[in-house]
Amino acid sequence: MRIQAISTHVAIDDQPNADFACHQRANGLSGLVQGALLIASLVVVMAPLLIIAAEAIAQPAMLDRFSDAPARAAFAFAGVAIWIVMFGIPAMRAFSRMGRSQTIRIAGGNVEVSEKTLIGHNAWRLPLSDFEGISHHIRTSISGTRQELILVHPQSTKCLLLAMDETISQNETDGLSAKLGTPVLPAGLMHRRHKQLQLPQSTFMQPAEALRS
């Protein structure tokens, strides 16, 4: 599940055999509203083009004009495709948040993720050693600002949100890092894909010092 889509995060403390466990949900209502607005906007934008297309079908003379100017027709179809992509893909992503949730469990040196959607279930498992460490991020959106602790993987789709709150202290970051046995990484590292990145300890601590100031 995309980290920015997560709206609810609940820690699970009743699993004695796990080093860490949590359950997360996406905001389905927000996804429904956003998707509906995008589809409505697409319909409004496409309405004039649909009217022109209907007239072209009803009047063969208009079709002849398009056939006489293939470049103009190609530009028209390209414009339609661009509008569909611009509104359609975000709408699909918004609708995909409906009913989506996931559970993360870290135990025995392994990371297990179980994800549920409206159309099915997906699960995957990776060694904790495949992850680079924990990064403290600040995410800003139209709904506000939140701080996050992210378990960073070289593949961005495998990065996992382990904690989120209005504020996350350095003690919380260090505590989770020590509990999992992973280093504290600088903010923004989840966007890098280098597995063998060597950074000094003083560099790891810079983002946290900036947040405390």
Side-chain angles (χ1 to χ4, degrees):
M1 182 161 59
R2 295 165 62 88
I3 292 176
Q4 55 265 41
I6 297 172
S7 62
T8 303
H9 174 95
V10 179
I12 303 175
D13 300 321
D14 58 353
Q15 295 193 16
N17 296 326
D19 298 322
F20 175 88
C22 69
H23 183 73
Q24 301 167 343
R25 295 186 64 87
N27 192 333
L29 179 59
S30 173
L32 176 62
V33 173
Q34 183 181 354
L37 289 175
L38 286 167
I39 293 298
S41 299
L42 179 60
V43 171
V44 171
V45 170
M46 295 291 293
L49 299 176
L50 293 175
I51 294 174
I52 293 174
E55 291 181 354
I57 294 174
Q59 300 178 13
M62 248 182 147
L63 290 176
D64 294 337
R65 290 181 184 178
F66 278 108
S67 61
D68 293 338
R72 185 180 301 175
F75 278 121
F77 285 119
V80 171
I82 290 173
W83 282 113
I84 291 176
V85 169
M86 287 180 60
F87 288 93
I89 292 179
M92 291 176 59
R93 289 179 177 174
F95 285 130
S96 69
R97 297 204 299 265
M98 298 175 57
R100 185 179 291 268
S101 65
Q102 72 178 11
T103 300
I104 301 173
R105 186 175 184 270
I106 303 176
N110 292 306
V111 178
E112 302 171 358
V113 178
S114 177
E115 185 174 355
K116 294 182 179 179
T117 66
L118 290 176
I119 60 175
H121 174 270
N122 179 45
W124 54 272
R125 176 178 178 178
L126 289 174
L128 181 58
S129 59
D130 284 0
F131 294 81
E132 296 177 344
I134 294 176
S135 180
H136 192 167
H137 289 253
I138 298 178
R139 186 180 301 278
T140 303
S141 65
I142 57 175
S143 59
T145 300
R146 74 184 189 193
Q147 296 188 18
E148 306 171 339
L149 293 183
I150 297 174
L151 185 62
V152 179
H153 189 273
Q155 184 179 346
S156 61
T157 56
K158 299 297 183 183
C159 293
L160 298 173
L161 178 68
L162 300 187
M164 71 176 191
D165 208 334
E166 292 183 358
T167 58
I168 297 178
S169 68
Q170 182 60 34
N171 288 335
E172 292 176 283
T173 304
D174 293 339
L176 185 56
S177 173
K179 185 177 182 180
L180 300 180
T182 57
V184 177
L185 306 176
L189 192 66
M190 74 172 183
H191 300 296
R192 305 174 190 173
R193 301 176 183 274
H194 303 293
K195 292 186 178 182
Q196 304 297 329
L197 185 61
Q198 300 294 329
L199 292 173
Q201 186 65 27
S202 60
T203 303
F204 289 148
M205 299 299 292
Q206 287 177 2
E209 295 293 338
L211 287 172
R212 285 192 295 180
S213 63

